Amino acid sequence: MLGRLASIVAKQALSGHHVVCVRCEDIVLSGGMVRQKAKFERFLRKRSVTNPRRGAVKFRAPSKILWRTVRGMVPHKTARGAAAMERVKTFEGVPAPYDKVKRMVIPDALKVLRLQQGHKSVRLGDMAAQCGWKHNEVVAELEAKRKAKSAAFYQAKKKAIKLRRKAEAEA
């Protein structure tokens, strides 16, 4: 769930922790696709009255949507808030340095625990793809490759552990 995840990330960043969010395209929004898309497009239409070309930049990428949601929960115009925002990194997929690092899940932001059975939900990546983000397929393809590589590594690791236990039992 986007808001719950963002609030926890914001609090951790403000308390001095470095936070890296990966696979932002798989974050869930509560509510149906039509409603979420309409809300986001309403947000995209907001612009400056005096000069419409001068409006704020509105990102379509899921990682930037999460980043902006976190920024809304942090006093980013103060030195403390700016420092906290520098400690937050967001990515689509799992890029190279972080694919070898142990990841953790935030239970308070899980769809299974927070959204009632049968209620509609939308993946942030799907909503972003319908609102102008062009890299949904590329990220999905790269994630499939990473997951296959990770599964092969895990199988080799399990085999090595089994052999080690066998050797220890014999010794």
Side-chain angles (χ1 to χ4, degrees):
M1 309 300 300
L2 178 65
R4 290 177 181 276
L5 175 67
S7 67
I8 292 166
V9 168
K11 191 68 175 176
Q12 292 297 313
L14 283 168
S15 62
H17 297 287
H18 288 269
V19 182
V20 179
C21 297
V22 294
R23 293 177 58 201
C24 290
E25 71 278 4
D26 286 332
I27 294 172
V28 174
L29 300 167
S30 60
M33 175 63 86
V34 174
R35 181 169 181 267
Q36 291 303 328
K37 188 178 172 193
K39 269 174 59 177
F40 193 69
E41 284 177 343
R42 218 173 17 246
F43 165 70
L44 290 176
R45 274 196 300 273
K46 292 189 188 315
R47 56 189 193 171
S48 173
V49 175
T50 54
N51 186 351
R53 287 174 292 181
R54 275 199 200 145
V57 176
K58 297 173 188 93
F59 302 106
R60 269 81 166 174
S63 62
K64 287 295 189 177
I65 292 171
L66 173 64
W67 178 86
R68 190 177 173 129
T69 307
V70 171
R71 192 188 73 173
M73 300 179 181
V74 170
H76 64 97
K77 292 185 180 181
T78 64
R80 176 175 165 256
M85 286 308 296
E86 285 177 10
R87 289 189 287 268
V88 175
K89 292 180 183 175
T90 58
F91 298 100
E92 286 95 21
V94 185
Y98 303 108
D99 59 350
K100 305 270 192 284
V101 178
K102 184 168 172 59
R103 293 177 285 282
M104 63 186 295
V105 174
I106 299 173
D108 290 342
L110 285 176
K111 173 187 168 185
V112 187
L113 299 176
R114 290 293 160 196
L115 197 64
Q116 288 183 342
Q117 195 79 29
H119 283 219
K120 292 181 180 177
S121 64
V122 179
R123 279 182 64 247
L124 187 57
D126 294 339
M127 193 266 306
Q130 288 202 359
C131 292
W133 182 53
K134 298 179 181 75
H135 306 292
N136 199 16
E137 293 85 22
V138 175
V139 170
E141 185 181 314
L142 289 171
E143 271 300 285
K145 281 184 189 175
R146 182 194 64 80
K147 285 179 182 177
K149 189 177 172 185
S150 178
F153 171 78
Y154 182 63
Q155 292 302 324
K157 181 181 173 183
K158 279 199 325 191
K159 190 175 180 180
I161 289 171
K162 189 175 179 181
L163 286 171
R164 185 182 184 124
R165 284 192 183 140
K166 186 178 177 184
E168 287 173 353
E170 290 174 0

